Amino acid sequence: MEPVTLTADGLRLVTWEQRHMADLAKIYADPLIERFLVMPLPWAGTARERFVWLQERHWQSGNPRWAVVDEVGSLCGSMALTKSFPYELTITYVTAPWARGRGVAQRAIRAAVEFGFTNMGAKRIAWDAIVGNHASRLAAVRTGFTVEGIARNGVHQRGVSKDCWVGGVLPGEVRGPDNPPADYGILKRQAGFFLADRQELETGVAGLRLRPLREADLDDLAATCADEDVQRCTTVPRGYTRAMADDWFAFCEGAWERGERVLFVLADAEDRYCGSVELGLGAAGEAEIGYFCSPWARGQGWMTAAVRRLCRLGFEELGLERVNWRAVVGNEASRRVAEKAGFTVEGTRRRVRHGADGLLDSWFGSLLPEDVA
């Protein structure tokens, strides 16, 4: 296949040249790029010296490789299509750190996908990204790709197996600049949140802050989850052990990477674990709040402050439009916290699944942005 230059709304997809190499080295040295690329790093030596030659060989094999440049020829990223199966191509792309936030990936993806369908006879173009690469996922969804699931240990990154999101787009499904998904604004805010460094949250209450869960917390987490009140009122496993806390820690790390849960712990002035509060993200714009307090931290109003703070984060940073709450009928402590935090208890649902306890009647309620004090 002969190299082809594509235009993409102010961008050009061109063949690689030696003049691009200095900027490409800067791209590959960016911490966010290093986090999600699977190639050996640092990028130097033979890999760098043979790069342009290798891209020419890919073209000769029918696998397009483009440098993405702007109107003045500055490198903005890379784009590639690779034959994977009959009538199927795989797309890969990188955006330069100095070009982020300008829709570079979206514009280049549309041009490359159109070329793949029109000029290469593709019936499907596949996409994948290491779980946690919310920027790649957002660009894919914005341009019409459907995220179809997770391939466990789907890629190997410098000797470590990683789960990856997988998806694809079919002819006729590409979304143009004026046709975003209905929930794109929310997805964009959440992608930015989960890509950023994890933060600590001040609560406005002396001696209490919210921070991420740490391995050093797991003894106190296990003791809290084994507490009689927590066992009775929540869905934590019965006979809770430290090994279960280890499993929960690993699960929470994965859920954060997938963008499914936002969990913080309550930490006192000595940084001791004092409970957990989390938002489980569901349908676009909605989440469910969950919380429990350690026995040694009860009676201080800390959980109410923690729930308020996390809900405010949900509305301000995650684009939430509603936070849901539920508790087994009779869990007066949870209900008091919810009502003090501004939730409206909307009623009772009969026979709701409640972990190992089976089907129990449960209270349900909600918090809207205007309800936050």
Side-chain angles (χ1 to χ4, degrees):
M1 175 184 290
E2 290 296 320
V4 176
T5 295
L6 306 180
T7 58
D9 189 18
L11 301 173
R12 289 185 300 126
L13 280 64
V14 301
T15 55
W16 287 96
E17 300 178 16
Q18 285 297 331
R19 66 185 179 87
H20 298 130
M21 293 304 97
D23 282 339
L24 185 59
K26 294 176 184 177
I27 292 174
Y28 286 161
D30 177 73
L32 193 62
I33 302 297
E34 288 185 358
R35 181 177 167 189
F36 295 118
L37 280 187
V38 299
M39 60 186 288
L41 293 173
W43 186 65
T46 303
R48 178 170 175 172
E49 293 168 0
R50 290 164 54 90
F51 182 84
V52 173
W53 173 83
L54 183 60
Q55 308 317 299
E56 294 171 351
R57 293 293 299 271
H58 279 304
W59 272 106
Q60 293 168 13
S61 300
N63 297 309
R65 297 291 188 268
W66 291 285
V68 181
V69 300
D70 61 17
E71 292 149 320
V72 298
S74 298
L75 186 66
C76 295
S78 65
M79 180 62 61
L81 293 173
T82 303
K83 297 175 183 177
S84 46
F85 298 102
Y87 303 105
E88 178 174 297
L89 305 172
T90 296
I91 192 168
T92 52
Y93 47 88
V94 172
T95 299
W98 53 84
R100 290 172 187 151
R102 292 161 42 188
V104 167
Q106 297 175 26
R107 288 180 280 164
I109 288 169
R110 291 188 190 102
V113 167
E114 181 180 357
F115 181 84
F117 287 140
T118 303
N119 296 78
M120 299 181 69
K123 303 300 182 184
R124 167 186 162 87
I125 297 179
W127 160 89
D128 63 71
I130 290 176
V131 168
N133 190 350
H134 293 274
S136 178
R137 176 178 173 138
L138 185 69
V141 170
R142 175 61 184 85
T143 51
F145 284 76
T146 296
V147 180
E148 297 162 341
I150 292 177
R152 296 174 298 163
N153 286 352
V155 297
H156 302 280
Q157 184 190 49
R158 300 184 282 281
V160 179
S161 296
K162 298 286 186 74
D163 294 351
C164 64
W165 285 312
V166 294
V169 65
L170 306 182
E173 293 181 344
V174 178
R175 289 183 174 274
D178 300 323
N179 182 32
D183 54 357
Y184 178 69
I186 296 171
L187 295 176
K188 185 174 181 179
R189 292 175 69 176
Q190 293 180 2
F193 175 84
F194 286 109
L195 276 174
D197 292 336
R198 298 193 195 185
Q199 56 186 304
E200 293 191 354
L201 307 177
E202 297 299 327
T203 64
V205 175
L208 174 67
R209 74 185 195 288
L210 305 183
R211 61 162 174 78
L213 180 67
R214 302 170 184 162
E215 288 191 63
D217 298 322
L218 298 185
D219 285 335
D220 282 334
L221 171 64
T224 299
C225 290
D227 174 73
E228 180 180 350
D229 289 337
V230 174
Q231 289 273 302
R232 183 178 66 254
C233 296
T234 73
T235 59
V236 300
R238 301 302 179 248
Y240 205 90
T241 65
R242 169 54 195 263
M244 291 176 180
D246 291 335
D247 291 342
W248 176 246
F249 179 73
F251 171 79
C252 289
E253 290 295 293
W256 187 287
E257 288 295 312
R258 294 188 298 272
E260 296 172 351
R261 289 174 180 258
V262 178
L263 181 139
F264 285 87
V265 305
L266 287 69
D268 64 15
E270 283 72 47
D271 201 34
R272 185 182 183 185
Y273 173 93
C274 291
S276 297
V277 58
E278 70 170 352
L279 290 170
L281 303 182
E286 290 199 23
E288 182 173 308
I289 191 83
Y291 47 87
F292 53 79
C293 193
S294 302
W296 52 87
R298 293 171 186 158
Q300 304 180 72
W302 281 6
M303 188 54 73
T304 299
V307 169
R308 284 176 178 155
R309 182 65 185 90
L310 190 57
C311 288
R312 191 164 75 249
L313 178 145
F315 293 132
E316 294 175 355
E317 299 190 39
L318 298 174
L320 297 184
E321 299 163 345
R322 174 188 174 100
V323 177
N324 298 310
W325 163 86
R326 63 172 173 164
V328 172
V329 170
N331 187 352
E332 298 290 348
S334 179
R335 179 166 180 157
R336 283 195 300 272
V337 167
E339 291 180 328
K340 288 179 181 179
F343 282 78
T344 296
V345 178
E346 299 167 334
T348 301
R349 294 184 190 174
R350 298 178 296 166
R351 297 183 182 177
V352 176
R353 176 66 60 184
H354 187 73
D357 294 329
L359 303 176
L360 300 176
D361 293 353
S362 297
W363 290 316
F364 279 75
S366 66
L367 184 76
L368 306 181
E370 59 267 27
D371 299 331
V372 178

